[in-house]
Amino acid sequence: MKPVVDGVIPGSPAARAGLERGDEIVRVDDRETLTWEGVMQGVIAAALDDEPVSLGVRREDDRQRGAVLDLSDLALDEIASSSFFDKLGVEPRRPKVPPVIERTEPGGAAAEAGIVPGDRIVEADGQPVDDWRGWVELVRSRGGKVIQVGVERDGTLLRLPLTPELVASEEGMVGHIGAAVVVPRGLADRFYAVERYPPLTALGRAVSKTAEVSKLTLNMLWKMLLLEVSVRNLSGPISIAQYAGHSAEVGISRFLEFLAIVSISLGILNLLPIPLLDGGHLMYYLIELFKGGPVSDEAQLLGQRVGIALLVGLMGVAFFNDLARLLG
């Protein structure tokens, strides 16, 4: 989505930077930003470098100004968490989508409750519902609990008991009803941005993006070693599979982007100077170059044991984090 501010929390870093409703963030440091994802990556990268974040802001009257985002009172874990916007103190401008059902999953909670395509959700437990996002947040928070839903169908108000089923997500167990919303035509043109470049420009952007992601990954690993970032940020195969499924649901471009990020992360991990990995072999070659002879068998055996211990420990932490997310 386009990085347009819809609201600012008083006293937050965004408020101290002078951001106001209607502002569009067009630059983070020296990086042009077209989406909120670009803003997030730029802010997290600057925070990992322990630097204030310089923003380029375009007002609603098209005037541009600079702003400095001071994140010194926030921990790195808070900035890199899923509550990024809350910690920043900014509410992104999101499309307000009417809660009209487009389709339901066979056997899902919505279909079992009698909700059909074309129904409009108008109330839940006596409270009015006029936005799909608010409805989704309500459903996610009420997993396993009955919601008395008011549904408008062909001009008639129906009241249906709906019990969202509990499913695992990156935030823990949440409610899920198996329903999709009707997206109004032309909505994407007003709220979403698409980046397109000619082939040669795209190649340069790809190299630059790879370097940025590599630097961000190495900084995160270094901060973990310094105990400045929690190891809870590590993800294992369960979380990776979940993210892959979510990205595939969004579209092929998002899925390919996810695969690229995973590939870069695995490539960096493989090049770390840990015995058993390619980076460990390169380390041995460098030692041999300066030593003028091969590394002794005893040293290689000790290195292999240390490498196995490090990899098993890393995999164990990643698996523990995955299980904690599922059960939490």
Side-chain angles (χ1 to χ4, degrees):
M1 287 190 299
K2 295 178 181 178
V4 180
V5 177
D6 199 43
V8 177
I9 300 175
S12 64
R16 295 196 298 269
L19 294 181
E20 299 176 359
R21 182 178 183 182
D23 286 351
E24 181 177 357
I25 301 174
V26 297
R27 179 179 50 79
V28 177
D29 288 335
D30 57 348
R31 305 180 186 90
E32 180 184 0
T33 57
L34 297 178
T35 64
W36 275 116
E37 182 182 4
V39 173
M40 292 175 63
Q41 291 178 352
V43 170
I44 292 174
L48 286 172
D49 289 334
D50 298 319
E51 298 176 354
V53 186
S54 175
L55 302 178
V57 179
R58 180 163 57 219
R59 299 286 192 183
E60 289 186 295
D61 58 5
D62 282 338
R63 289 187 299 111
Q64 293 198 21
R65 72 174 189 89
V68 177
L69 201 60
D70 183 11
L71 304 176
S72 58
D73 58 342
L74 294 178
L76 287 174
D77 282 339
E78 294 179 307
I79 300 172
S81 69
S82 58
S83 58
F84 171 84
F85 293 114
D86 293 334
K87 300 302 180 183
L88 200 63
V90 63
E91 174 68 23
R93 179 166 293 177
R94 296 183 173 96
K96 191 170 184 178
V97 181
V100 179
I101 304 298
E102 181 183 45
R103 66 181 184 276
T104 59
E105 296 176 0
E112 292 293 326
I115 296 176
V116 299
D119 285 354
R120 182 186 180 108
I121 310 296
V122 295
E123 64 178 49
D125 290 336
Q127 299 299 316
V129 176
D130 60 359
D131 176 54
W132 180 256
R133 180 168 171 262
W135 167 246
V136 170
E137 291 176 353
L138 174 65
V139 167
R140 289 172 67 86
S141 67
R142 297 289 295 277
K145 301 177 181 178
V146 179
I147 306 174
Q148 296 297 330
V149 181
V151 173
E152 183 180 304
R153 182 185 302 169
D154 298 327
T156 303
L157 180 63
L158 304 176
R159 300 189 185 280
L160 305 172
L162 171 67
T163 306
E165 59 180 326
L166 281 169
V167 298
S169 76
E170 56 189 76
E171 291 90 14
M173 302 300 290
V174 298
H176 177 78
I177 64 172
V181 67
V182 174
V183 179
R185 183 174 300 176
L187 186 68
D189 296 336
R190 301 197 305 271
F191 289 91
Y192 292 89
V194 178
E195 293 185 71
R196 289 192 179 95
Y197 303 98
L200 291 179
T201 305
L203 179 61
R205 295 282 296 188
V207 173
S208 175
K209 186 69 172 180
T210 301
E212 290 177 11
V213 174
S214 301
K215 180 183 177 183
L216 183 63
T217 303
L218 289 172
N219 276 345
M220 286 288 288
L221 290 173
W222 178 246
K223 294 293 184 179
M224 286 181 190
L225 291 175
L226 297 178
L227 303 181
E228 295 180 15
V229 174
S230 172
V231 293
R232 288 177 299 185
N233 291 291
L234 288 174
S235 296
I238 299 176
S239 293
I240 292 175
Q242 289 180 331
Y243 297 147
H246 295 327
S247 62
E249 290 177 357
V250 175
I252 184 64
S253 61
R254 181 66 66 184
F255 181 64
L256 291 176
E257 181 181 0
F258 169 79
L259 291 180
I261 292 175
V262 171
S263 298
I264 293 172
S265 299
L266 291 177
I268 292 174
L269 179 64
N270 188 47
L271 290 176
L272 292 178
I274 299 176
L276 299 181
L277 300 179
D278 289 344
H281 292 299
L282 293 175
M283 179 182 66
Y284 285 146
Y285 295 152
L286 286 175
I287 294 175
E288 183 176 341
L289 177 64
F290 287 103
K291 180 183 176 183
V295 179
S296 66
D297 293 339
E298 293 79 6
Q300 291 190 39
L301 182 60
L302 177 62
Q304 289 178 354
R305 291 174 178 173
V306 172
I308 291 174
L310 289 174
L311 291 178
V312 169
L314 187 65
M315 292 172 59
V317 171
F319 268 112
F320 176 81
N321 289 340
D322 283 354
L323 294 175
R325 293 188 188 103
L326 287 175
L327 300 177

